[in-house]
Amino acid sequence: MNLVGAILVTASLVSGALAAATAYLAPLNLADDLLAGLTLNAPAGAAAAAGGGMAPLANPGEELTPALLKRLREADVEYVQVKQFWPEGSPLPLWPGKWIFLASVAGLVAGALMIRSSSRRLITVSANAAGTLSPDQALQGIRDTIDELRRDVAAMPGKPARLDVVVSRLTELQKRQMADFVDSRPLIVARFGLAGYAEIMDRYAAAERQINRAWSAAADRVDEEMTACLDQASELLGEAITLAKRGN
């Protein structure tokens, strides 16, 4: 799929570039009322000059008239380059390659979507094969650990013991489960794009800050701040999980 998408994008770029080069060409098979009054932007046609050689039938800056159009057609000129892209009174640009250009744009979009879809699938398959947790699973694991810690802390009567447990468990959490979530970040980009990734990571980063603050508060023996930070971390992780589950 990636190869097909890349070929489609390349072909669309080439055809689009070629079509764009014809943007100011006006076909002379159109009616005179669409062409008369347009200003030439390049020499048009060729005829034998008096001193030998060839000379243009019309020069840049010259206005197309019915008589000039007739001479150009009689000289088998098919296109002339004009200054006006979309002449007044014309329902569409005179541009002969407009439909090819529009088809090329459609091909670019289709090819880009194919590449994006294929890349997402490859990232997901690769991550699953490697045993990497999905983003919501990794986040849920972090939240479960935080909530279990909150319950255990609430049941412990001794303040020093509570604080030591928080430091120990949060250290382990940062080394393992939070590292698992970092490993799953390519999946978030693949499933949600950069905008979705930013949204989820915004919640996660806020939760991570609260977890780090809880660790610091516990290490500094500040019990109340530690508890408040754990509560906020759990709430923020819940918001991140809800966002991450939209990709399932």
Side-chain angles (χ1 to χ4, degrees), residues 127-150:
N128 290 340
T132 303
L133 293 174
S134 67
D136 58 290
Q137 288 174 331
L139 288 169
Q140 188 62 58
I142 297 171
R143 192 186 192 197
D144 289 344
T145 298
I146 293 294
D147 288 343
E148 182 182 3
L149 180 57
R150 292 166 64 210

Side-chain angles (χ1 to χ4, degrees), residues 61-175:
E62 192 170 343
E63 186 176 291
L64 291 175
T65 63
L68 177 56
L69 288 168
K70 182 180 179 181
R71 291 206 316 272
L72 291 170
R73 288 174 182 138
E74 289 174 348
D76 294 327
V77 177
E78 296 182 357
Y79 299 94
V80 292
Q81 189 177 78
V82 295
K83 293 184 177 181
Q84 297 88 344
F85 175 71
W86 195 326
E88 184 177 352
S90 175
L92 290 171
L94 303 182
W95 182 13
K98 54 183 172 290
W99 302 118
I100 295 176
F101 184 83
L102 290 175
S104 298
V105 171
L108 278 173
V109 173
L113 290 175
M114 289 171 67
I115 292 173
R116 181 180 180 185
S117 175
S118 178
S119 297
R120 284 183 174 184
R121 186 164 54 254
L122 287 173
I123 290 174
T124 302
V125 170
S126 176
N128 290 340
T132 303
L133 293 174
S134 67
D136 58 290
Q137 288 174 331
L139 288 169
Q140 188 62 58
I142 297 171
R143 192 186 192 197
D144 289 344
T145 298
I146 293 294
D147 288 343
E148 182 182 3
L149 180 57
R150 292 166 64 210
R151 290 191 297 269
D152 291 347
V153 165
M156 290 181 183
K159 176 178 177 180
R162 282 203 306 270
L163 297 172
D164 290 341
V165 166
V166 169
V167 170
S168 175
R169 290 200 192 174
L170 290 185
T171 298
E172 188 68 16
L173 175 70
Q174 291 164 335
K175 288 181 179 178

Side-chain angles (χ1 to χ4, degrees), residues 208-218 225-226 229 232:
E208 184 181 33
R209 287 193 293 271
Q210 293 301 320
I211 291 171
N212 292 337
R213 287 183 61 186
W215 186 97
S216 297
E225 183 180 354
M226 176 268 293
C229 288
Q232 291 181 48

